[in-house]
Amino acid sequence: VCIHRVRSCSSIRFIKSKYMCVFDKSALKFSHQQRLFRTSAVSCGQIVQFKLSDIGEGITEVTVKEWYIKEGDSVSQFDSICEVQSDKASVTITSRYDGVIRKLHYSIDDIAFVGKPLVDIEIDASKGVAPEEDVVETPPMSHEEHTHQEIKGHKTLATPAVRRLAMENNIKLSEVVGTGKDNRILKEDILNYLAKQTGAILPPSPKAEIVPPLRKTETVPAAPKDKARKIPVPVSRPIAFSGKDKTEPVTGFQKAMVKTMSAALKIPHFGYCDEIDLTQLVQLREELKPLAELRGVKLSFMPFFIKAASLGLLQYPILNASLDENCQNVTYKASHNIGVAMDTEQGLIVPNVKNVQVCSVFDIAVELNRLQSLGSAGQLGTSDLTGGTFTLSNIGTIGGTYAKPVILPPEVAIGALGKIQVLPRFNGKGEVFKAQIMNVSWSADHRIIDGATMARFSNLWKSYLENPASMLLDLK
């Protein structure tokens, strides 16, 4: 205490009086306790409660899936604290303070509530606490929700999603030139900066260099011969028979499915099925696969299915609409945000490819690769899972030919795609040939969509896929 007073005070008389006061009888009795108190007051600073801010979409509670920190760890602004999972998506929570973690209010798999403390952080009391909301990685955000970071005296504007992308690629935001409003850094700015630094392959822009087709002398990988029929293999799991029933709460994506399907039961479904001859499309994909691989993209059939659906929606916009709860107004969606149902370890999720109407088949393939990678890792954001206007479910990747898909409100139509089978068919001359056949099952909201409209849309979609060259006339 004496040394502290000598260093901090300039008056010798003041030091002496304080020195004498310390050795007062009452102070002497609690001298050890008083010294500990003084030490903690100087080194600890102020404890603030980091609260879980509003994630949006009406979410009031989330499940804590993983902690990236523990008690006693030091954190800085925008450092990842934990990952939480709502009934819509997984979200990464980042810190808005520089300090030391003193308490975790939840354990793994606990339910955390919006507005309640998440962790206690000890910060330097001299710096104070900024009156801002907690930072959450949930793009897109409104202009009032954007965050900023002080770097060398100036503000760098960027959404948390952009900051996370920069952090994952070890990019300093101060080195990136923002092209958005008020020099805000956009996702494209990060990708362009990364491309200049690493030479990474990005989705082609209108000025992108086009990879020339392979020469005739170069061999294209031959189409695989008839694959051996896959035999389902049971998952090897330890069998634990306790003889007792087990009750578990409905959480996460399962909880979202309960809510969505309960709302879907209010929709009168209309079903329509057909078969598609994909023989020409299979050949076209085999020719384009090597070109896509040169660009670092895996090309499946789904980009063709999605683009053909978008071309069909341009002719039948009622299938890309929504009906209000009172069934008084129909909203025709300008964007074709086509969802793709995915089977993941977390359950069924339906991310969507945004603005398909202005995307090429290759652009759609790039986005699908991104969504599939994030879906497998359980890292899809809220923006990836919301805003869908039309859905395709490729159940054929698992098995089956026909299905009865359930519409995802507020959408009004959905299609389920079966597996591609090699089956005998007749051509125009009555000759038998080997055809690549896929079955499709449509469901539509019969309150605003009649059977004839659904059938005409299906026929147009079918014609695009059976004659893929015809899509060139309508591609933009």
Coordinates of all heavy atoms in Angstrom, one line a residue, residues 108-187:
I108 N -23.1 -26.3 -22.2 CA -23.4 -26.8 -23.5 C -24.8 -27.4 -23.5 O -25.2 -28.1 -22.5 CB -22.4 -27.9 -24.0 CG1 -21.0 -27.2 -24.0 CG2 -22.8 -28.4 -25.3 CD1 -20.8 -26.1 -25.1
D109 N -25.6 -27.1 -24.5 CA -27.0 -27.6 -24.7 C -28.0 -27.0 -23.8 O -29.2 -27.4 -23.8 CB -27.1 -29.2 -24.5 CG -26.3 -29.9 -25.7 OD1 -26.3 -29.3 -26.8 OD2 -25.8 -31.0 -25.4
D110 N -27.6 -25.9 -23.0 CA -28.5 -25.2 -22.2 C -29.3 -24.2 -23.1 O -28.8 -23.8 -24.2 CB -27.8 -24.4 -21.1 CG -27.4 -25.2 -20.0 OD1 -27.8 -26.4 -19.9 OD2 -26.7 -24.7 -19.0
I111 N -30.5 -23.8 -22.7 CA -31.3 -22.9 -23.4 C -31.0 -21.5 -22.9 O -31.1 -21.2 -21.7 CB -32.8 -23.2 -23.2 CG1 -33.2 -24.6 -23.7 CG2 -33.6 -22.1 -24.0 CD1 -32.9 -24.8 -25.2
A112 N -30.5 -20.6 -23.8 CA -30.2 -19.2 -23.5 C -31.3 -18.3 -24.1 O -31.9 -18.6 -25.1 CB -28.9 -18.8 -24.1
F113 N -31.7 -17.3 -23.3 CA -32.8 -16.4 -23.7 C -32.3 -15.0 -24.1 O -31.3 -14.5 -23.5 CB -33.8 -16.3 -22.5 CG -34.4 -17.6 -22.1 CD1 -33.9 -18.4 -21.1 CD2 -35.6 -18.0 -22.7 CE1 -34.4 -19.6 -20.7 CE2 -36.2 -19.2 -22.4 CZ -35.6 -20.0 -21.4
V114 N -33.0 -14.5 -25.1 CA -32.6 -13.2 -25.6 C -32.8 -12.1 -24.5 O -33.8 -12.1 -23.9 CB -33.4 -12.8 -26.9 CG1 -33.2 -11.4 -27.3 CG2 -33.1 -13.8 -28.0
G115 N -31.8 -11.3 -24.4 CA -31.9 -10.2 -23.3 C -31.3 -10.6 -22.0 O -31.2 -9.8 -21.1
K116 N -31.0 -11.9 -21.8 CA -30.4 -12.4 -20.6 C -28.9 -12.5 -20.7 O -28.3 -12.6 -21.8 CB -31.0 -13.7 -20.2 CG -32.5 -13.7 -20.0 CD -32.9 -12.8 -18.9 CE -34.4 -12.9 -18.6 NZ -34.9 -12.0 -17.5
P117 N -28.2 -12.4 -19.6 CA -26.7 -12.4 -19.6 C -26.2 -13.7 -20.2 O -26.7 -14.8 -19.8 CB -26.3 -12.2 -18.1 CG -27.4 -11.5 -17.5 CD -28.7 -12.1 -18.2
L118 N -25.2 -13.6 -21.0 CA -24.6 -14.8 -21.6 C -23.3 -15.1 -20.9 O -23.0 -16.2 -20.5 CB -24.3 -14.5 -23.1 CG -24.0 -15.7 -24.0 CD1 -25.1 -16.7 -24.0 CD2 -23.7 -15.2 -25.4
V119 N -22.4 -14.0 -20.8 CA -21.1 -14.2 -20.0 C -20.9 -12.9 -19.3 O -21.5 -11.8 -19.6 CB -19.9 -14.4 -21.0 CG1 -20.1 -15.8 -21.7 CG2 -19.8 -13.3 -22.0
D120 N -20.1 -12.9 -18.2 CA -19.6 -11.8 -17.5 C -18.2 -11.5 -18.0 O -17.3 -12.4 -18.0 CB -19.6 -12.0 -16.0 CG -21.0 -12.0 -15.5 OD1 -21.9 -11.7 -16.2 OD2 -21.2 -12.3 -14.3
I121 N -17.9 -10.2 -18.4 CA -16.6 -9.8 -18.9 C -16.0 -8.7 -18.0 O -16.7 -7.7 -17.8 CB -16.7 -9.4 -20.4 CG1 -17.3 -10.5 -21.3 CG2 -15.3 -9.0 -20.9 CD1 -17.4 -10.1 -22.7
E122 N -14.8 -8.9 -17.6 CA -14.1 -7.9 -16.8 C -13.4 -6.9 -17.8 O -12.5 -7.4 -18.5 CB -13.2 -8.5 -15.8 CG -12.4 -7.5 -15.0 CD -11.4 -8.2 -14.1 OE1 -11.7 -9.2 -13.5 OE2 -10.2 -7.7 -14.1
I123 N -13.7 -5.7 -17.8 CA -13.1 -4.7 -18.7 C -12.3 -3.7 -17.8 O -12.5 -3.5 -16.6 CB -14.1 -4.0 -19.6 CG1 -15.1 -3.2 -18.8 CG2 -14.8 -5.1 -20.4 CD1 -16.0 -2.3 -19.6
D124 N -11.5 -2.9 -18.5 CA -10.8 -1.8 -17.9 C -11.8 -0.7 -17.6 O -12.4 -0.1 -18.5 CB -9.7 -1.3 -18.8 CG -8.8 -0.3 -18.1 OD1 -9.1 0.2 -17.0 OD2 -7.7 0.0 -18.6
A125 N -12.0 -0.4 -16.3 CA -12.9 0.6 -15.9 C -12.7 2.0 -16.5 O -13.6 2.8 -16.7 CB -13.0 0.7 -14.4
S126 N -11.4 2.3 -16.8 CA -11.0 3.6 -17.3 C -11.5 3.8 -18.7 O -11.7 4.9 -19.2 CB -9.5 3.8 -17.3 OG -8.9 2.8 -18.1
K127 N -11.8 2.7 -19.4 CA -12.3 2.8 -20.8 C -13.8 2.9 -20.9 O -14.3 3.4 -21.9 CB -11.9 1.5 -21.6 CG -10.4 1.4 -21.8 CD -10.0 0.2 -22.6 CE -8.5 0.1 -22.8 NZ -8.2 -1.1 -23.5
G128 N -14.5 2.5 -19.8 CA -15.9 2.6 -19.9 C -16.6 1.6 -20.7 O -15.9 0.8 -21.3
V129 N -17.9 1.6 -20.8 CA -18.7 0.7 -21.6 C -19.4 1.4 -22.6 O -20.1 2.4 -22.4 CB -19.7 -0.1 -20.7 CG1 -20.4 -1.1 -21.5 CG2 -19.0 -0.7 -19.5
A130 N -19.2 1.0 -23.9 CA -19.9 1.7 -25.0 C -21.3 1.3 -25.0 O -21.7 0.2 -24.8 CB -19.2 1.3 -26.3
P131 N -22.2 2.3 -25.2 CA -23.7 2.0 -25.2 C -24.2 1.4 -26.5 O -25.1 2.0 -27.1 CB -24.3 3.4 -24.9 CG -23.3 4.3 -25.6 CD -22.0 3.7 -25.4
E132 N -23.6 0.3 -26.9 CA -24.0 -0.3 -28.2 C -24.6 -1.6 -27.9 O -24.5 -2.2 -26.8 CB -22.8 -0.5 -29.1 CG -22.2 0.8 -29.6 CD -21.0 0.6 -30.5 OE1 -20.8 -0.6 -30.9 OE2 -20.3 1.5 -30.9
E133 N -25.3 -2.2 -28.8 CA -25.9 -3.5 -28.7 C -24.9 -4.6 -28.9 O -23.9 -4.3 -29.6 CB -27.1 -3.7 -29.7 CG -28.3 -2.8 -29.4 CD -28.9 -3.0 -28.1 OE1 -29.0 -4.2 -27.7 OE2 -29.4 -2.1 -27.4
D134 N -25.1 -5.7 -28.4 CA -24.2 -6.8 -28.6 C -24.1 -7.2 -30.1 O -25.1 -7.0 -30.8 CB -24.6 -8.1 -27.8 CG -24.7 -7.8 -26.3 OD1 -24.0 -6.8 -25.9 OD2 -25.4 -8.4 -25.6
V135 N -23.0 -7.7 -30.5 CA -22.7 -8.0 -31.9 C -23.1 -9.5 -32.2 O -22.6 -10.3 -31.4 CB -21.2 -7.7 -32.3 CG1 -21.0 -8.1 -33.7 CG2 -20.9 -6.3 -32.0
V136 N -23.9 -9.7 -33.2 CA -24.3 -11.1 -33.5 C -24.0 -11.3 -35.0 O -24.3 -10.4 -35.8 CB -25.8 -11.3 -33.2 CG1 -26.1 -12.7 -33.5 CG2 -26.1 -10.9 -31.8
E137 N -23.5 -12.5 -35.3 CA -23.3 -12.8 -36.7 C -24.5 -13.3 -37.4 O -24.8 -14.5 -37.6 CB -22.2 -13.9 -36.8 CG -20.8 -13.5 -36.3 CD -20.0 -12.9 -37.4 OE1 -20.5 -12.8 -38.6 OE2 -18.9 -12.4 -37.2
T138 N -25.4 -12.4 -37.8 CA -26.7 -12.7 -38.4 C -27.0 -11.8 -39.6 O -27.7 -10.9 -39.5 CB -27.9 -12.6 -37.4 OG1 -27.8 -11.3 -36.9 CG2 -27.8 -13.6 -36.3
P139 N -26.3 -12.0 -40.7 CA -26.6 -11.2 -41.9 C -28.0 -11.7 -42.5 O -28.4 -12.8 -42.3 CB -25.5 -11.6 -42.9 CG -25.1 -13.0 -42.5 CD -25.3 -13.1 -41.0
P140 N -28.7 -10.8 -43.3 CA -28.3 -9.4 -43.5 C -28.8 -8.5 -42.3 O -29.7 -8.9 -41.6 CB -29.1 -9.1 -44.8 CG -30.3 -10.0 -44.7 CD -29.9 -11.2 -44.0
M141 N -28.3 -7.3 -42.2 CA -28.6 -6.5 -41.1 C -29.1 -5.1 -41.6 O -28.7 -4.7 -42.7 CB -27.4 -6.2 -40.2 CG -26.8 -7.5 -39.7 SD -25.4 -7.2 -38.6 CE -26.3 -6.7 -37.1
S142 N -29.9 -4.4 -40.9 CA -30.4 -3.1 -41.3 C -29.3 -2.1 -41.1 O -28.3 -2.4 -40.4 CB -31.7 -2.7 -40.5 OG -31.4 -2.6 -39.1
H143 N -29.5 -0.9 -41.6 CA -28.5 0.2 -41.5 C -28.3 0.6 -40.0 O -27.2 1.1 -39.7 CB -28.9 1.4 -42.3 CG -30.1 2.1 -41.7 ND1 -31.4 1.6 -41.9 CD2 -30.2 3.2 -41.0 CE1 -32.3 2.4 -41.3 NE2 -31.6 3.4 -40.7
E144 N -29.3 0.3 -39.1 CA -29.1 0.6 -37.7 C -28.3 -0.4 -37.0 O -27.9 -0.2 -35.9 CB -30.4 0.8 -37.1 CG -31.2 2.0 -37.7 CD -32.6 2.2 -37.0 OE1 -32.9 1.3 -36.2 OE2 -33.3 3.2 -37.3
E145 N -28.2 -1.6 -37.6 CA -27.6 -2.7 -36.8 C -26.1 -3.0 -37.2 O -25.5 -3.9 -36.7 CB -28.4 -4.0 -37.2 CG -29.8 -4.0 -36.6 CD -30.5 -5.2 -37.0 OE1 -30.6 -5.5 -38.2 OE2 -31.0 -5.9 -36.1
H146 N -25.6 -2.2 -38.2 CA -24.2 -2.5 -38.6 C -23.2 -2.1 -37.5 O -23.5 -1.2 -36.7 CB -23.9 -1.7 -39.9 CG -23.6 -0.2 -39.6 ND1 -24.7 0.7 -39.7 CD2 -22.5 0.5 -39.3 CE1 -24.2 1.9 -39.4 NE2 -22.9 1.8 -39.2
T147 N -22.1 -2.8 -37.5 CA -21.1 -2.5 -36.5 C -19.9 -1.9 -37.1 O -19.7 -1.9 -38.3 CB -20.7 -3.9 -35.8 OG1 -20.2 -4.7 -36.9 CG2 -21.9 -4.6 -35.1
H148 N -19.1 -1.3 -36.2 CA -17.9 -0.7 -36.7 C -16.8 -1.0 -35.8 O -16.9 -1.4 -34.7 CB -18.1 0.9 -36.8 CG -18.3 1.5 -35.5 ND1 -19.5 1.7 -34.9 CD2 -17.3 2.1 -34.6 CE1 -19.3 2.3 -33.7 NE2 -18.1 2.5 -33.5
Q149 N -15.6 -0.8 -36.3 CA -14.4 -1.1 -35.6 C -13.4 0.0 -35.7 O -13.2 0.5 -36.8 CB -13.7 -2.4 -36.1 CG -12.5 -2.8 -35.3 CD -11.9 -4.1 -35.8 OE1 -12.3 -4.5 -36.9 NE2 -10.9 -4.6 -35.1
E150 N -12.9 0.6 -34.6 CA -11.9 1.6 -34.7 C -10.5 1.1 -35.1 O -10.0 0.3 -34.4 CB -11.8 2.3 -33.3 CG -13.1 3.0 -32.9 CD -13.4 4.3 -33.7 OE1 -12.4 4.8 -34.4 OE2 -14.5 4.8 -33.6
I151 N -10.0 1.5 -36.2 CA -8.7 1.1 -36.7 C -7.9 2.3 -37.0 O -8.2 3.0 -38.0 CB -8.8 0.1 -37.9 CG1 -9.7 -1.1 -37.5 CG2 -7.5 -0.3 -38.4 CD1 -9.9 -2.0 -38.7
K152 N -6.9 2.5 -36.2 CA -6.0 3.6 -36.5 C -6.7 5.0 -36.7 O -6.4 5.7 -37.6 CB -5.1 3.4 -37.7 CG -4.2 2.1 -37.5 CD -3.3 1.9 -38.7 CE -2.4 0.7 -38.5 NZ -1.5 0.5 -39.7
G153 N -7.7 5.2 -35.8 CA -8.4 6.5 -35.8 C -9.5 6.6 -36.8 O -10.2 7.7 -36.8
H154 N -9.8 5.6 -37.6 CA -11.0 5.8 -38.5 C -11.8 4.5 -38.4 O -11.4 3.5 -38.0 CB -10.5 6.0 -40.0 CG -9.9 4.7 -40.5 ND1 -8.6 4.4 -40.4 CD2 -10.4 3.7 -41.3 CE1 -8.3 3.3 -41.0 NE2 -9.4 2.9 -41.6
K155 N -13.1 4.7 -38.8 CA -14.1 3.6 -38.7 C -14.1 2.8 -39.9 O -14.1 3.3 -41.0 CB -15.5 4.2 -38.4 CG -15.6 4.9 -37.1 CD -17.0 5.4 -36.9 CE -17.2 6.2 -35.6 NZ -18.6 6.7 -35.4
T156 N -14.1 1.5 -39.7 CA -14.2 0.5 -40.8 C -15.6 -0.1 -40.7 O -15.9 -0.8 -39.8 CB -13.2 -0.6 -40.8 OG1 -11.9 0.1 -40.8 CG2 -13.3 -1.5 -41.9
L157 N -16.5 0.2 -41.7 CA -17.8 -0.2 -41.7 C -17.9 -1.6 -42.4 O -17.5 -1.7 -43.5 CB -18.7 0.8 -42.4 CG -18.8 2.2 -41.8 CD1 -19.7 3.1 -42.6 CD2 -19.2 2.1 -40.3
A158 N -18.6 -2.5 -41.7 CA -18.8 -3.8 -42.3 C -19.8 -4.6 -41.4 O -19.8 -4.4 -40.2 CB -17.5 -4.6 -42.4
T159 N -20.5 -5.5 -42.0 CA -21.5 -6.3 -41.3 C -20.7 -7.4 -40.6 O -19.6 -7.8 -41.1 CB -22.6 -6.9 -42.2 OG1 -21.9 -7.7 -43.2 CG2 -23.3 -5.8 -42.9
P160 N -21.3 -8.0 -39.5 CA -20.6 -9.1 -38.9 C -20.2 -10.3 -39.8 O -19.2 -11.0 -39.7 CB -21.6 -9.6 -37.8 CG -22.3 -8.3 -37.5 CD -22.5 -7.6 -38.8
A161 N -21.1 -10.5 -40.8 CA -20.8 -11.6 -41.8 C -19.6 -11.3 -42.6 O -18.8 -12.2 -42.8 CB -22.0 -11.8 -42.7
V162 N -19.4 -10.1 -43.0 CA -18.2 -9.7 -43.7 C -16.9 -9.8 -42.8 O -15.9 -10.3 -43.2 CB -18.3 -8.3 -44.3 CG1 -17.0 -7.8 -44.9 CG2 -19.4 -8.3 -45.3
R163 N -17.1 -9.4 -41.5 CA -16.0 -9.5 -40.6 C -15.6 -10.9 -40.4 O -14.4 -11.3 -40.2 CB -16.3 -8.8 -39.3 CG -16.6 -7.4 -39.4 CD -16.9 -6.7 -38.0 NE -17.2 -5.3 -38.2 CZ -16.3 -4.4 -38.4 NH1 -15.1 -4.6 -38.4 NH2 -16.7 -3.1 -38.5
R164 N -16.6 -11.8 -40.3 CA -16.3 -13.2 -40.1 C -15.5 -13.8 -41.3 O -14.6 -14.6 -41.1 CB -17.5 -14.0 -39.8 CG -17.3 -15.5 -39.6 CD -18.6 -16.2 -39.3 NE -18.4 -17.6 -39.0 CZ -19.3 -18.5 -38.6 NH1 -20.6 -18.1 -38.6 NH2 -19.0 -19.7 -38.4
L165 N -15.9 -13.4 -42.5 CA -15.3 -13.9 -43.7 C -13.8 -13.4 -43.7 O -12.9 -14.1 -44.1 CB -16.0 -13.4 -44.9 CG -15.4 -13.8 -46.3 CD1 -15.4 -15.3 -46.5 CD2 -16.2 -13.1 -47.4
A166 N -13.6 -12.1 -43.3 CA -12.2 -11.6 -43.2 C -11.4 -12.3 -42.2 O -10.2 -12.6 -42.4 CB -12.3 -10.1 -42.9
M167 N -12.0 -12.6 -41.0 CA -11.3 -13.3 -39.9 C -10.9 -14.7 -40.4 O -9.8 -15.2 -40.1 CB -12.2 -13.3 -38.7 CG -11.6 -14.0 -37.5 SD -12.7 -14.1 -36.1 CE -14.0 -15.1 -36.7
E168 N -11.8 -15.4 -41.1 CA -11.5 -16.8 -41.5 C -10.4 -16.9 -42.5 O -9.7 -17.9 -42.6 CB -12.8 -17.4 -42.1 CG -13.9 -17.7 -41.0 CD -15.2 -18.2 -41.7 OE1 -15.3 -18.1 -42.9 OE2 -16.1 -18.6 -40.9
N169 N -10.2 -15.8 -43.2 CA -9.1 -15.7 -44.2 C -7.9 -14.9 -43.8 O -7.1 -14.5 -44.6 CB -9.7 -15.2 -45.5 CG -10.6 -16.2 -46.2 OD1 -10.2 -17.1 -46.8 ND2 -11.9 -15.9 -46.0
N170 N -7.9 -14.5 -42.5 CA -6.8 -13.7 -41.9 C -6.5 -12.5 -42.7 O -5.4 -12.1 -43.0 CB -5.5 -14.6 -41.9 CG -5.6 -15.8 -41.0 OD1 -6.2 -15.7 -39.9 ND2 -5.1 -16.9 -41.4
I171 N -7.6 -11.7 -43.0 CA -7.5 -10.5 -43.7 C -7.8 -9.3 -42.7 O -8.8 -9.4 -42.0 CB -8.5 -10.4 -44.9 CG1 -8.2 -11.5 -45.9 CG2 -8.5 -9.1 -45.5 CD1 -9.2 -11.6 -47.0
K172 N -7.0 -8.3 -42.7 CA -7.2 -7.1 -41.9 C -8.1 -6.2 -42.7 O -7.9 -5.8 -43.8 CB -5.9 -6.4 -41.6 CG -4.9 -7.2 -40.7 CD -3.7 -6.4 -40.4 CE -2.7 -7.2 -39.5 NZ -1.5 -6.5 -39.2
L173 N -9.2 -5.8 -42.0 CA -10.2 -4.9 -42.7 C -9.6 -3.6 -43.1 O -10.0 -2.9 -44.0 CB -11.4 -4.7 -41.8 CG -12.3 -6.0 -41.6 CD1 -13.4 -5.6 -40.6 CD2 -12.8 -6.5 -42.9
S174 N -8.6 -3.1 -42.3 CA -8.0 -1.8 -42.6 C -7.2 -1.9 -43.9 O -6.9 -0.8 -44.5 CB -7.0 -1.5 -41.5 OG -6.0 -2.5 -41.3
E175 N -6.9 -3.0 -44.5 CA -6.2 -3.1 -45.7 C -7.1 -3.3 -46.9 O -6.7 -3.4 -48.0 CB -5.2 -4.3 -45.7 CG -4.2 -4.2 -44.6 CD -3.3 -5.4 -44.5 OE1 -3.6 -6.4 -45.2 OE2 -2.3 -5.4 -43.7
V176 N -8.4 -3.4 -46.7 CA -9.4 -3.6 -47.7 C -10.1 -2.3 -48.1 O -10.5 -1.6 -47.1 CB -10.4 -4.7 -47.3 CG1 -11.4 -4.9 -48.5 CG2 -9.7 -6.0 -47.0
V177 N -10.2 -2.0 -49.3 CA -10.9 -0.8 -49.8 C -12.4 -1.1 -49.9 O -12.8 -2.0 -50.7 CB -10.3 -0.3 -51.1 CG1 -11.1 1.0 -51.6 CG2 -8.8 0.0 -50.9
G178 N -13.2 -0.4 -49.2 CA -14.7 -0.7 -49.3 C -15.3 0.1 -50.5 O -15.0 1.2 -50.7
T179 N -16.2 -0.6 -51.2 CA -16.9 0.0 -52.3 C -18.3 0.3 -52.0 O -19.1 0.8 -52.9 CB -16.8 -0.9 -53.5 OG1 -17.4 -2.2 -53.2 CG2 -15.4 -1.2 -53.9
G180 N -18.8 0.0 -50.8 CA -20.2 0.3 -50.4 C -20.4 1.7 -50.0 O -19.5 2.6 -50.1
K181 N -21.6 2.0 -49.6 CA -21.9 3.3 -49.1 C -21.1 3.7 -47.9 O -20.9 2.9 -47.0 CB -23.4 3.4 -48.7 CG -23.9 4.8 -48.3 CD -25.4 4.8 -48.0 CE -25.8 6.2 -47.6 NZ -27.3 6.2 -47.2
D182 N -20.6 5.0 -47.9 CA -19.7 5.4 -46.8 C -18.5 4.5 -46.7 O -18.0 4.3 -45.5 CB -20.4 5.5 -45.4 CG -21.6 6.4 -45.5 OD1 -21.5 7.5 -46.2 OD2 -22.6 6.2 -44.8
N183 N -18.0 4.0 -47.8 CA -16.8 3.2 -47.8 C -17.0 1.9 -47.1 O -16.0 1.3 -46.6 CB -15.6 3.9 -47.3 CG -15.2 5.1 -48.2 OD1 -15.4 5.1 -49.4 ND2 -14.8 6.2 -47.6
R184 N -18.2 1.4 -47.0 CA -18.4 0.2 -46.3 C -17.8 -1.0 -47.0 O -17.9 -1.1 -48.3 CB -19.9 0.0 -46.1 CG -20.3 -1.3 -45.3 CD -21.7 -1.4 -45.0 NE -22.2 -0.3 -44.2 CZ -23.4 -0.2 -43.8 NH1 -24.3 -1.1 -44.1 NH2 -23.7 0.9 -43.0
I185 N -17.3 -1.9 -46.3 CA -16.6 -3.1 -46.9 C -17.7 -4.2 -47.2 O -18.4 -4.6 -46.3 CB -15.5 -3.7 -46.0 CG1 -14.4 -2.6 -45.9 CG2 -14.9 -4.9 -46.6 CD1 -13.3 -3.1 -44.9
L186 N -17.8 -4.6 -48.4 CA -18.8 -5.6 -48.8 C -18.1 -7.0 -48.9 O -16.9 -7.1 -48.9 CB -19.5 -5.2 -50.1 CG -20.1 -3.8 -50.2 CD1 -20.6 -3.5 -51.6 CD2 -21.2 -3.6 -49.1
K187 N -19.0 -8.0 -49.1 CA -18.5 -9.3 -49.2 C -17.6 -9.4 -50.5 O -16.6 -10.1 -50.5 CB -19.6 -10.3 -49.3 CG -19.2 -11.8 -49.6 CD -20.4 -12.7 -49.7 CE -20.0 -14.1 -50.0 NZ -21.2 -15.0 -50.1

